[in-house]
Every structure is written in C-alpha cells, then in structure tokens.
Amino acid sequence: MVVGNKLQVLDALDVAKTQWYHFTAIITAGMGFFTDAYDLFCISLVTKLLGRIYYHVDGAKSPGSLPPNVSAAVNGVAFCGTLAGQLFFGWLGDKLGRKKVYGMTLMLMVICSIASGLSFSSNPKAVMATLCFFRFWLGFGIGGDYPLSATIMSEYANKKTRGAFIAAVFAMQGFRILRGGIFAIIISAAFMALFHVPPYEVDPVGSTVPEADYVWRIVLMVGALPAALTYYWRLKMPETTRYTALVAKNAKQDASNMSKVLQMEIEAEPQKIEQEKIRYGLFSKEFAKRHGLHLLGTTTTWFLLDIAFYSQNLFQKDIFSAIDWIPSAKTMNALEEVYKIARAQTLIALCSTVPGYWFTVAFIDIMERFAIQLMGFFFMTVFMFALAIPYDHWIHKDNRIGFVVMYSLTFFFANFGPNATTFVVPAEIFPARLRSTCHGISAAAGKLGAMVGAFGFLYLAQNKDKAKADAGYPAGIGVKNSLIVLGVINALGFLFTFLVPESKGKSLEEMSGENENNGEGEAGASSSSSSNH
C-alpha cells in the first residue's frame, strides 16, 4: 500500500467527523429501504384476505384461500424481480455512476407500488396476473436499491463509523415492517368499525364485505409515499467521490463536488488519479485471486440467511395459527383476520426485529462485523433447534407465549447478526469499479435464498397428513421438521462466515487494494482477510 499515493479527498472522507451530509445520506438512502421492506413484506399481511375475496367456495367449511400456484406467485414474484434488479442495477451503477441510476430505481418503485393496488378487473385470474406483473417490476426497482444504497453510503462515510452508517440505512427496513403492521391494523380496524360483519362460520358470504377489496389495495399502494417524498433529495445528491475519481477519472468534478459536501477546499489531483492502474475485471484471474473467496463468502452467507429469514417473515402467520396464537380462520370475518395477523407481526417487529437492527448499528463499529455475523448465525441455529426439537411441548396452549418469545429471539439475532452484516460487508471489501456489481451479486444470491424460502416453505411446512394440509397443497414435512431444516441452514451460514474478511476500521481502498501504484502487487484485501480469523 502506497499511502503517499492516496487522494487527498479520500483521506478527507475517511477521517471526516460526522456531519450533516452523513445524516442526509442515511435518510435519503434509508427511505428507499423503508419502502423496500414495506413492499416486500406487506403482501404477507393481505394474502389471506385475497383468498377470501377471490377464491371463496360456496359451502366450504373454511374461508377461501389462494391456490398453491397463485400463492407462490403472489409471494415470490417480487423476489424474482428483486433478484433481476440487483444484478442489472448493480452492474449499471458501476457503468453509469451511482447517482444516475439511483433516481430510476425510486421512480420504478413509486409507479409500481401504486399500480399494484390498482390491479384491474374483478376476475380472480386477471387481478392476480396484473398484481404479479406489477409486483415483479416493483421488485426490479427494489433490487436496484440494495447495491446502490449500500455503495453510496459506504463511499460517503468515514472509516470510523462506516459500519454504523450502512447498517442504519438497512435498519430502516425494521421501521417499515413495523409501520406496515401498524398501518394494516389501523385500516382493518377502521373498516371493522364501519362494517359490522359476522364471522365466517355464522355467515360465509357476509363475513367478507365487498369493501374489504379496498383494504388490500390501500395497504399495497401506501408504500409509494415515502419513496416519492425522497425523490427530490436523491436527484440533489452529488456523485460519490470514489466513483468520480477512481472510476470516471474526473478529478475536477470530484474536487468541486466534495468541496461542497465537506465544506472545505479540496484540490483536484489529476496526476494521482491517472496513476491508479488496477484494471482487472470481474471475470479475470486477478479478481479471482484477490476477491474470489470473498465473493463466495458474501454470496453463500446471504443466500443461507435469506432462506431462513424470509421463510420466517412470510409464514409467521402460519406458525402463529399452528400454535393457536391467531384463531381459526372460520371463527373470524375477513377484516378481523387481517387485523389479528397484522397485530401478531407488529408485536414481533416491535419486540425483536427493530431492536435487533439498531443493536447492530450501535455495536458494529465496536465489535467486528465477523463477530456479529457469527454470533447471529449461532443463536439463530440454537433457537431454531430449541423450537423444533421439543415442538410438541410448544404447541400446548399453556406454552404458547414461550414459543413466541423464542421465535422472536431468532428474529432479534437475525437482525443483530447476519441480516445486517451481509448487507454491510459487500459494500466495503470490493474495488470501486466493481463494488456495486459485487454487492448486487451478493444481494441477488440472498434473494435466490428468499425465493427458496418463499416458494419452498409454502409446501414444506404443510401438515404431514394431506387431509390436514391447506386446500390444494400436498402433504409436507410439518412445521417441526421445517424448523429443523432452517436450523441446519443457519448452521451452514455460521461455517461460510469464515470466508468473509473483516473490514472494521479500514479504508475502502485498504480493503480492495486500490491504494497500490500497480496492478500486480500483493492485494491489501488479501492481507487484511488473513489477519482476522
């Protein structure tokens, strides 16, 4: 590493005290994640309502439910779009610049959030088809937000508090999951006050009032608001100095941008910018040698984490039903069911999800990223097995609260653990010209895991007795065995964490080897990864 070769502006950013521009960056980037989490998770609040409205069967003992293929599509199509968006916008962020692409993703999210709630027709097939179409493109926009938000925040932050700033952007997800549940509670409670309707077992048709169709549409559409409010601020953000200087090679523009941001005089250094000679690409032997194992580590850990995390999030309503924390569907009307599902999910978010995120923000620059991720996977594994092995004990009515507490702790340690660190680390350890691309690849691996969780666990968690499985589903392996599978997945995440380097307290250039004055020297990233574990 040639310290004297480092650009003045990068040194200034690395040692800058926490300033107002750091907080505006967190809020601007975080509002995207505020929207992302809401749009991805709010569907689980209304899937049962969609089944009641569009798939009611006259004379059936229980309310209508989405057929397996429709439920899988509605729950999983946004993840397909997110995966594609992460790869595409991650690559585009390195080609065109972070700022140019950032506004595109937000606009796509706003338009498709609104369009999802306006899904046409009253014909079930037409409604579900248009809902899936717009949720795919909504996911595509959300996907772009992952690599761009993480990369922008990492490239703006100082090295002392960089982990906390990137984690704070991601932690906005927790508030959005919480707000989604609270909003669904308010809307369903308001409609329940307006329309006094009997439970399904008393009046199957009357238990779902026609106005219930507005509830799910309002819940989906309101996700557009926070994104729309931050669009102006995204357009005003200057391009990051790491992109302008190290990728675009525009010393004059970079000095001008950062002089305004840092409120100090920054001198343009075109000679130093031209000296930087590392030119290897993503598919080169040089990249494989320097960062191949790092990329394998970030992709596998995010993949394994998201299988567990998203299957828990999407299907917690089914787990609550299994332990009778949410009453049987036939004893409620449609609006009451939305209310009780939202109330249960909000309680989990309030007690475990949100605190977990902010514990990471508080401790990530004190503890190592590596330690937090290992700890999270370890406790997720422990609590999964503690729920699964004595599962017959937990399903007794007297033990329900204990089940919910332990289930909540798995969420807490997911968020004070790998759900945050898998987002933070890929934004810190790769070279500037490939940073957004590599983060997009890592995040896409995560969404592949989310799809396994969303599609696979719909079927896997079904009762072993086909007669007791949900309508239209084959027999599964049951909730108990599904929890054991998730425990094994978390244990694998623990092992793959050992491939990920520690980045606490190091500059981005130190991690990627971009301080070197030639492309063949020993990589700073390689040396840094071997010094930790």
Side-chain angles (χ1 to χ4, degrees):
M1 180 177 76
V2 182
V3 178
N5 193 47
K6 189 171 181 182
L7 292 168
Q8 177 199 351
V9 67
L10 299 186
D11 258 335
L13 275 172
D14 280 340
V15 299
K17 290 180 180 178
T18 301
Q19 296 176 38
W20 179 244
Y21 77 87
H22 287 123
F23 294 107
T24 57
I26 289 171
I27 293 165
T28 306
M31 280 301 106
F33 268 87
F34 200 59
T35 304
D36 297 349
Y38 182 92
D39 289 331
L40 287 176
F41 293 124
C42 68
I43 196 69
S44 69
L45 296 167
V46 297
T47 45
K48 295 222 178 226
L49 179 61
L50 289 169
R52 283 185 183 246
I53 295 170
Y54 295 107
Y55 291 91
H56 169 74
V57 178
D58 287 332
K61 289 183 180 177
S62 11
S65 61
L66 297 178
N69 59 332
V70 175
S71 183
V74 168
N75 278 305
V77 73
F79 295 140
C80 299
T82 304
L83 188 154
Q86 284 162 338
L87 293 172
F88 177 72
F89 286 115
W91 168 79
L92 205 62
D94 283 333
K95 289 293 174 191
L96 300 183
R98 294 43 161 145
K99 176 191 162 82
K100 281 185 182 176
V101 183
Y102 213 26
M104 297 181 205
T105 62
L106 202 69
M107 234 33 266
L108 197 54
M109 285 154 59
V110 169
I111 292 166
C112 293
S113 281
I114 295 167
S116 294
L118 296 174
S119 297
F120 318 118
S121 178
S122 57
N123 176 280
K125 283 186 179 178
V127 172
M128 295 304 148
T130 49
L131 177 61
C132 287
F133 175 81
F134 287 120
R135 279 190 65 77
F136 174 85
W137 290 108
L138 172 65
F140 193 68
I142 289 170
D145 232 43
Y146 275 74
L148 292 167
S149 290
T151 300
I152 285 170
M153 200 63 245
S154 76
E155 292 182 345
Y156 264 116
N158 60 51
K159 63 183 179 182
K160 188 179 177 183
T161 57
R162 186 178 62 232
F165 288 162
I166 305 171
V169 170
F170 195 64
M172 292 293 184
Q173 273 202 350
F175 283 133
R176 196 51 170 162
I177 294 168
L178 183 63
R179 192 199 151 184
I182 291 170
F183 184 74
I185 288 170
I186 293 167
I187 289 293
S188 55
F191 274 75
M192 281 163 64
L194 287 171
F195 307 101
H196 301 283
V197 290
Y200 183 87
E201 59 188 359
V202 174
D203 182 358
V205 176
S207 68
T208 307
V209 291
E211 288 80 5
D213 195 52
Y214 293 121
V215 172
W216 71 268
R217 295 177 186 275
I218 293 167
V219 168
L220 295 188
M221 288 169 74
V222 81
L225 280 175
L229 292 172
T230 54
Y231 183 69
Y232 171 74
W233 297 106
R234 284 205 180 187
L235 293 183
K236 280 195 73 176
M237 283 180 88
E239 183 56 86
T240 71
T241 191
R242 261 107 184 173
Y243 183 85
T244 311
L246 300 178
V247 183
K249 307 284 189 189
N250 190 336
K252 191 175 177 183
Q253 183 64 52
D254 178 46
S256 171
N257 286 348
M258 289 302 108
S259 294
K260 291 173 190 170
V261 169
L262 293 167
Q263 295 181 329
M264 61 184 281
E265 193 60 40
I266 299 287
E267 186 184 337
E269 301 174 288
Q271 298 85 2
K272 282 189 180 180
I273 283 179
E274 287 308 315
Q275 283 174 18
E276 196 271 316
K277 293 185 175 69
I278 302 175
R279 293 282 188 273
Y280 57 82
L282 181 65
F283 300 105
S284 66
K285 286 182 181 178
E286 188 68 18
F287 179 85
K289 184 174 81 173
R290 292 170 179 245
H291 298 291
L293 282 178
H294 300 162
L295 188 58
L296 179 64
T298 58
T299 51
T300 50
T301 51
W302 208 334
F303 172 76
L304 293 163
L305 176 274
D306 271 12
I307 293 176
F309 187 74
Y310 278 83
S311 59
Q312 281 176 258
N313 254 307
L314 284 166
F315 306 115
Q316 56 180 271
K317 63 183 185 298
D318 299 314
I319 288 172
F320 291 147
S321 297
I323 60 163
D324 290 332
W325 213 45
I326 294 174
S328 172
K330 66 183 180 183
T331 65
M332 299 181 283
N333 61 53
L335 297 169
E336 188 183 0
E337 187 172 36
V338 173
Y339 176 84
K340 291 199 170 167
I341 290 170
R343 188 179 64 179
Q345 293 199 20
T346 301
L347 190 61
I348 291 291
L350 188 63
C351 297
S352 61
T353 307
V354 172
Y357 279 119
W358 290 97
F359 263 72
T360 302
V361 174
F363 290 105
I364 194 166
D365 288 312
I366 300 169
M367 299 170 64
E368 292 185 339
R369 281 85 159 135
F370 177 73
I372 290 175
Q373 187 159 311
L374 273 187
M375 178 192 69
F377 271 128
F378 175 78
F379 281 111
M380 286 171 73
T381 306
V382 168
F383 286 120
M384 277 295 175
F385 285 132
L387 287 172
I389 294 166
Y391 183 70
D392 294 334
H393 164 81
W394 294 119
I395 59 176
H396 289 299
K397 194 170 184 178
D398 295 342
N399 303 323
R400 272 188 229 156
I401 299 301
F403 182 98
V404 173
V405 168
M406 292 187 69
Y407 186 69
S408 298
L409 284 169
T410 64
F411 275 101
F412 176 80
F413 283 106
N415 294 310
F416 183 31
N419 194 40
T421 54
T422 52
F423 178 81
V424 173
V425 175
E428 299 181 307
I429 64 176
F430 299 108
R433 81 181 53 73
L434 298 171
R435 186 169 291 132
S436 179
T437 302
C438 290
H439 194 285
I441 292 169
S442 303
K447 279 300 163 283
L448 193 59
M451 287 158 64
V452 171
F455 291 113
F457 279 83
L458 263 173
Y459 294 85
L460 211 59
Q462 293 298 323
N463 198 294
K464 292 180 186 178
D465 181 355
K466 191 177 186 307
K468 294 180 182 176
D470 290 346
Y473 286 87
I477 64 172
V479 174
K480 175 178 179 173
N481 291 331
S482 296
L483 291 171
I484 290 173
V485 171
L486 292 177
V488 172
I489 287 166
N490 289 328
L492 288 172
F494 180 90
L495 295 175
F496 277 101
T497 296
F498 286 90
L499 295 175
V500 181
E502 179 55 52
S503 50
K504 174 178 171 278
K506 297 180 175 74
S507 74
L508 298 179
E509 289 66 46
E510 195 178 343
M511 288 304 301
S512 65
E514 287 170 290
N515 275 350
E516 299 156 15
N517 59 358
N518 63 70
E520 300 303 318
E522 185 173 303
S526 298
S527 61
S528 67
S529 66
S530 62
S531 64
N532 293 286
H533 26 270

